[in-house]
């Protein structure tokens, strides 16, 4: 209710969109960072004629409705991003603004300003308290994103009550320090003219993002206005009737919208359709004059990858030198960046460690800084892991871009809130997550991600890859680039890994495969990443001692899980015990193995070989563990059934 006036002014006087084609590429983007205003957004979408019926509005909190309680992209037409947790939407908006700046700089020509939309975001006090918003705001100011307009609902209320208890900073001064243009409207409840003028002035500022501090009254017009009691709770029936009477609506009718309101918003929708038609004509003329650029832009908008791009992926044999998988990742990026210009991303101040900036890349920076250009595809995110992740979600939501981001695997945990939303929203974000285990050595337990893999493997619609060599690294990139609705984390080593006999891109793309086969085995060892070569070393010793041992590499659990059951049971088959080996927590391995060898606690600081020796992650020790497992199951007797064999699929296949 408090944001209804500014929403009305924005959507009727400024906003460019065509409800008949909600994916028109040059539409303005609108983001709700404060999810409690979701009902307002649904009403606006309904009035504008998006595919949202009045029945949807009536049912929007019920489970049988496609209109969710908090707006989610992909469920309701016209929703750009899924936010929910506060601050995420604001950071998404920064990503949307970066995408527009980059694509506009890349494709616009004199007389052909094809990509020039604005991104508008509504945010509240809670959003501004969240660190992810601070990270994103700081970067947006540095990047001089003049196409970004944030409207701050300054109503002095959070769930705990008046913000005086926890949030008393001068927000305008903070944003001025970030490099933002700041404006304010002291009466956001009724002063529509000042709201209009503020948005107009914000549009005129093209060298800085703008924050408009809008003083509003929460629940304006109700009996509980100005109190936290109206935050997220429905008004009582008598309050609703009194409010309707006050504003001239029939008090005895629910979901009533006057014809004049429908007519006003129908005119807005008609204006949007006209704007898109004009844009389509401009795009057609652009194609006649700039055929190559037109073909590239329309390809990227469609989401289609260039023909035969995958031929650029490196292929390895065992004769090739051992290299860290972070280096193998750099080799892949160097090979594919020239043929995949939609790859846009960077690192959280770890470029030299993550190895993510290739020689052909230019930094994404304002020209005025002398550090790069908006045409650049490499973003210097600074030490802002969470902001980086949420910005990447916005980059993907814009379209025409496949974002990649990078840090140490352990610090992807800093960004877990946004990673979860990547998976929920089906954002194709690629994480280059290096230094992936105790193998990073001297930095010690603070940097060694013991539990991180288990966390991310548990998130639905998220591919967590831990490649064992060059071919598996290429496979991880292939999957990450072709699975258009799934984010991926590539967990990469600091230490060198040999290229393995039997590994291929095709095999690894199944998520798991038999790397070394024997018939009538006594033991199967299944492993991932840097431990696969250790498992192979153990198998050589065991086989030489008459214990037939086969090796399975399982670089991506989620993709392996999606394979036909017959294939999975051929890889992790019955008949002999299965031992899992990984230099991480063993949580989750029970699904694939009878026994698991890994870490029960934190790692240690020291040279990586010494650390591996300390925790028994060596070929000879794994061979000894394998012997114990074989002896135990022999004494136990009876058939050894694969852990994959289950009587029922209790999930019902709902993934």
């Amino acid at each position: 209710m408090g944001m209804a006036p500014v929403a009305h002014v924005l959507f009727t006087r400024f906003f460019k969109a065509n409800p008949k084609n909600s994916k028109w590429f040059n539409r303005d983007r609108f983001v709700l960072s404060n999810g409690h205003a979701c009902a307002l957004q649904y009403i606006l979408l309904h009035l504008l004629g998006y595919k949202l019926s009045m029945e949807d509005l009536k049912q929007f909190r019920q489970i049988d409705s496609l209109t969710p309680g908090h707006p989610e992209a992909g469920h309701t037409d016209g929703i750009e991003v899924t936010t929910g947790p506060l601050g995420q939407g604001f950071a998404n908006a920064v990503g949307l603004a970066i995408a527009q700046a980059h694509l506009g700089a890349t494709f616009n020509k004199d007389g052909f300003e094809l990509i020039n939309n604005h991104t508008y975001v509504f945010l509240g006090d809670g959003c501004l308290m969240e660190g992810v918003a601070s990270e994103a705001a700081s970067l947006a100011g540095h990047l001089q994103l003049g196409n970004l307009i944030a409207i701050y609902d300054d109503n002095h209320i959070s769930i705990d009550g008046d913000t005086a208890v926890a949030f008393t900073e001068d927000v305008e001064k903070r944003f001025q320090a970030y490099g933002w243009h700041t404006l304010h409207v002291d009466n956001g409840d009724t002063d529509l003219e000042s709201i209009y003028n503020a948005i107009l002035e914000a549009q005129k500022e093209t060298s800085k993002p703008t924050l408009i501090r809008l003083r509003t009254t929460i629940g304006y017009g109700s009996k509980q206005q100005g109190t936290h009691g109206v935050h997220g709770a429905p008004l009582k029936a008598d309050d609703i009737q009194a409010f309707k009477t006050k504003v001239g609506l029939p008090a005895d009718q629910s979901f009533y919208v006057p014809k004049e309101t429908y007519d006003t918003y129908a005119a807005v929708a008609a204006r949007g359709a006209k704007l898109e038609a004009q844009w389509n004509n401009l795009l057609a003329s652009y194609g006649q004059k700039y055929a190559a650029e037109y073909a590239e832009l329309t390809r990227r908008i469609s989401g289609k990858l260039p023909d035969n791009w995958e031929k650029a992926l490196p292929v390895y044999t065992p004769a090739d030198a051992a290299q860290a998988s972070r280096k193998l990742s750099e080799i892949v990026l160097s090979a594919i960046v020239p043929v995949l210009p939609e790859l846009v991303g960077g690192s959280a101040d770890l470029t030299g460690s993550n190895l993510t900036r290739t020689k052909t890349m230019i930094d994404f920076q304002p020209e005025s800084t002398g550090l790069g250009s908006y045409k650049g595809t490499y973003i210097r995110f600074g030490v802002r892991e969470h902001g980086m992740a949420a910005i990447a979600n916005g980059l993907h939501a814009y379209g025409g871009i496949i974002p990649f981001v990078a840090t140490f695997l352990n610090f992807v945990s800093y960004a877990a809130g946004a990673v979860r939303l990547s998976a929920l929203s089906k954002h194709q974000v690629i994480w280059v997550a290096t230094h992936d285990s105790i193998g990073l050595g001297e930095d010690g337990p603070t940097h060694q991600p013991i539990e991180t893999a288990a966390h991310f493997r548990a998130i639905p619609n998220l591919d967590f890859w831990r490649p064992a060599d060059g071919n598996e690294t290429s496979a991880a990139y292939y999957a990450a680039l072709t699975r258009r609705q799934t984010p991926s984390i590539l967990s990469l080593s600091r230490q060198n890994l040999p290229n393995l006999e039997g590994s291929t891109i095709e095999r690894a793309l199944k998520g798991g495969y038999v790397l070394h086969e024997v018939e009538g085995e006594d033991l199967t060892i299944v492993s991932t990443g840097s431990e696969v070569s250790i498992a192979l070393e153990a198998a050589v010793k065991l086989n030489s001692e008459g214990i037939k041992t086969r090796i399975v590499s399982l670089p991506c659990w989620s993709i392996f899980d999606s394979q036909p059951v017959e294939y999975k049971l051929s890889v992790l088959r019955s008949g002999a015990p299965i031992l899992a080996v990984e230099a991480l927590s063993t949580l989750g391995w029970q699904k694939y193995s009878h026994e698991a060898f890994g870490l029960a606690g934190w790692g240690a600081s020291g040279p990586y070989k010494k650390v591996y020796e300390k925790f028994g992650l060596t070929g000879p020790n794994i061979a000894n563990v394998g012997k114990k497992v074989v002896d135990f199951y022999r004494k136990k007797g009876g058939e050894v059934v694969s852990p994959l064999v289950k009587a029922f699929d209790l999930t019902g296949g709902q993934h």
Side-chain angles (χ1 to χ4, degrees):
M1 297 169 75
M3 292 294 280
V6 67
H8 175 70
V9 172
L10 174 63
F11 276 83
T12 58
R13 305 301 299 274
F14 295 99
F15 202 71
K16 298 188 307 181
N18 179 13
K20 301 301 182 185
N21 179 16
S22 63
K23 298 303 180 185
W24 167 37
F25 199 68
N26 198 42
R27 67 191 180 279
D28 286 338
R29 272 51 169 194
F30 175 69
V31 177
L32 276 180
S33 190
N34 48 339
H36 59 268
C38 56
L40 172 63
Q41 185 168 15
Y42 295 139
I43 292 167
L44 287 167
L45 293 173
H46 169 70
L47 293 175
L48 286 166
Y50 285 86
K51 298 172 185 176
L52 181 66
S53 70
M54 184 60 77
E55 190 60 30
D56 287 327
L57 282 172
K58 293 177 181 178
Q59 302 293 327
F60 81 93
R61 286 192 184 275
Q62 296 189 19
I63 196 167
D64 59 349
S65 172
L66 288 178
T67 309
H70 280 82
E72 292 181 36
H75 287 289
T76 303
D77 201 34
I79 303 292
E80 297 288 356
V81 290
T82 301
T83 57
L86 296 181
Q88 293 288 333
F90 177 81
N92 293 167
V94 174
L96 289 164
I98 290 173
Q100 186 280 320
H102 170 68
L103 290 170
T106 302
F107 290 104
N108 289 350
K109 306 286 185 183
D110 288 342
F112 294 94
E113 198 169 332
L114 285 172
I115 303 172
N116 63 359
N117 68 281
H118 284 88
T119 294
Y120 300 93
V121 55
F122 286 2
L123 67 155
D125 293 296
C127 305
L128 290 171
M129 294 184 217
E130 289 284 4
V132 65
S134 300
E135 293 178 25
S138 174
L139 184 61
H142 164 75
L143 292 175
Q144 302 174 21
L145 299 174
N147 56 7
L148 176 61
I149 299 173
I151 300 175
Y152 162 37
D153 179 14
D154 180 20
N155 61 22
H156 290 196
I157 291 291
S158 65
I159 291 176
D160 271 2
D162 194 300
T163 53
V165 302
F167 189 62
T168 53
E169 67 191 43
D170 189 323
V171 170
E172 286 187 74
K173 286 183 179 178
R174 169 159 56 117
F175 273 72
Q176 288 167 12
Y178 286 148
W180 284 58
H181 175 221
T182 63
L183 301 167
H184 59 264
V185 176
D186 289 329
N187 177 9
D189 297 327
T190 61
D191 191 354
L192 302 186
E193 182 179 2
S194 293
I195 292 172
Y196 174 86
N197 289 334
I199 297 173
L200 187 65
E201 186 176 344
Q203 286 187 340
K204 292 177 181 177
E205 175 55 73
T206 59
S207 63
K208 293 180 179 180
T210 295
L211 177 81
I212 301 173
R213 181 182 59 78
L214 187 71
R215 188 74 175 92
T216 67
T217 304
I218 192 170
Y220 179 70
S222 71
K223 294 179 181 179
Q224 294 190 73
Q225 71 172 33
T227 72
H228 73 283
V230 75
H231 183 112
L235 299 178
K236 294 180 180 178
D238 65 327
D239 200 352
I240 294 173
Q241 290 179 345
F243 176 77
K244 287 180 177 179
T245 300
K246 184 186 299 184
V247 298
L249 295 174
D252 60 342
Q253 294 191 41
S254 298
F255 295 96
Y256 171 81
V257 179
K259 182 178 182 301
E260 305 93 292
T261 304
Y262 277 121
D263 290 344
T264 298
Y265 280 85
V268 174
R271 181 186 72 201
K274 183 178 180 181
L275 287 170
E276 186 194 356
Q278 293 171 349
W279 186 84
N280 288 335
N281 291 334
L282 184 66
L283 180 63
S285 299
Y286 180 87
Q288 293 175 357
K289 189 169 183 179
Y290 302 103
E293 290 87 345
Y294 171 86
E296 179 63 15
L297 175 59
T298 53
R299 177 191 71 78
R300 289 176 64 170
I301 291 174
S302 75
K304 182 180 183 295
L305 296 175
D307 292 339
N308 300 315
W309 72 271
E310 68 276 7
K311 292 183 178 178
L313 289 170
V315 177
Y316 297 86
T317 71
D320 293 313
Q323 299 191 79
S325 53
R326 64 167 174 165
K327 180 64 178 178
L328 295 167
S329 166
E330 180 187 38
I331 293 168
V332 173
L333 285 171
S334 296
I336 65 175
V337 160
V339 297
L340 292 174
E342 56 263 58
L343 274 173
V344 176
S347 168
D349 199 50
L350 287 168
T351 296
S353 295
N354 300 146
L355 306 181
T356 39
R357 190 180 188 277
T358 70
K359 292 180 180 179
T360 61
M361 284 180 166
I362 298 171
D363 281 7
F364 176 87
Q365 297 277 2
E367 296 274 2
S368 62
T369 64
L371 299 172
S373 160
Y374 281 161
K375 291 181 180 179
T377 57
Y378 195 77
I379 302 172
R380 305 284 186 165
F381 284 103
V383 189
R384 303 182 180 100
E385 293 91 351
H386 200 178
M388 173 177 72
I391 287 168
N393 288 340
L395 286 169
H396 180 262
Y398 189 91
I401 287 173
I402 300 176
F404 71 93
V405 290
T407 186
F408 290 177
L409 175 60
N410 196 55
F411 303 132
V412 184
S413 296
Y414 262 27
V419 174
R420 181 179 183 272
L421 286 175
S422 298
L424 177 64
S425 310
K426 302 179 180 178
H427 290 312
Q428 185 187 15
V429 176
I430 301 172
W431 279 87
V432 179
T434 68
H435 296 63
D436 77 333
S437 75
I438 59 172
L440 64 84
E442 287 85 349
D443 278 338
T446 60
H447 284 51
Q448 292 169 354
I450 306 307
E451 77 296 345
T452 307
H455 176 192
F456 291 124
R457 284 168 173 161
I459 294 179
N461 192 42
L462 174 64
D463 290 341
F464 183 90
W465 283 87
R466 195 158 182 257
D469 72 350
N471 289 328
E472 290 192 6
T473 304
S474 290
Y477 270 100
Y478 181 92
L481 288 161
T482 55
R483 288 168 62 81
R484 291 177 54 189
Q485 296 187 325
T486 301
S488 301
I489 296 175
L490 278 55
S491 174
L492 305 168
S493 75
R494 181 175 184 262
Q495 71 269 36
N496 289 342
L497 309 179
N499 288 296
L500 306 173
E501 183 74 47
S503 84
T504 67
I505 294 175
E506 292 73 21
R507 286 181 170 183
L509 283 172
K510 292 184 180 293
Y513 64 101
V514 180
L515 184 69
H516 175 70
E517 184 65 283
V518 298
E519 294 300 324
E521 71 275 8
D522 301 302
L523 177 69
T524 293
I525 302 178
V526 57
S527 190
T528 74
S530 47
E531 287 73 69
V532 174
S533 57
I534 295 172
L536 281 166
E537 184 184 346
V540 170
K541 188 173 190 301
L542 288 166
N543 282 311
S544 71
E545 297 176 8
I547 300 174
K548 295 180 180 180
T549 305
R550 63 199 289 270
I551 300 297
V552 169
S553 180
L554 203 69
C556 185
W557 294 11
S558 55
I559 291 182
F560 180 72
D561 288 347
S562 71
Q563 302 304 314
V565 66
E566 294 81 9
Y567 175 76
K568 290 187 288 185
L569 287 171
S570 74
V571 174
L572 295 173
R573 64 193 182 202
S574 300
I578 301 171
L579 168 66
V581 176
E582 193 171 43
L584 304 171
S585 165
T586 60
L587 183 65
W589 275 110
Q590 298 81 0
K591 182 165 62 170
Y592 306 108
S593 66
H594 300 96
E595 307 294 337
F597 185 89
L599 292 162
W602 305 114
S605 178
Y608 89 87
K609 288 185 179 180
K610 294 289 186 183
V611 174
Y612 267 64
E613 288 174 6
K614 172 182 173 62
F615 292 105
L617 287 154
T618 64
N621 188 60
I622 297 303
N624 289 333
V625 172
K627 289 178 189 176
K628 293 178 182 178
V629 170
V630 170
D631 288 344
F632 174 82
Y633 280 86
R634 282 176 176 169
K635 291 176 182 177
K636 183 179 179 182
E639 182 185 7
V640 181
V641 179
S642 171
L644 296 177
V645 176
K646 295 181 175 67
F648 301 100
D649 177 8
L650 297 178
T651 67
Q654 295 178 15
H655 296 290

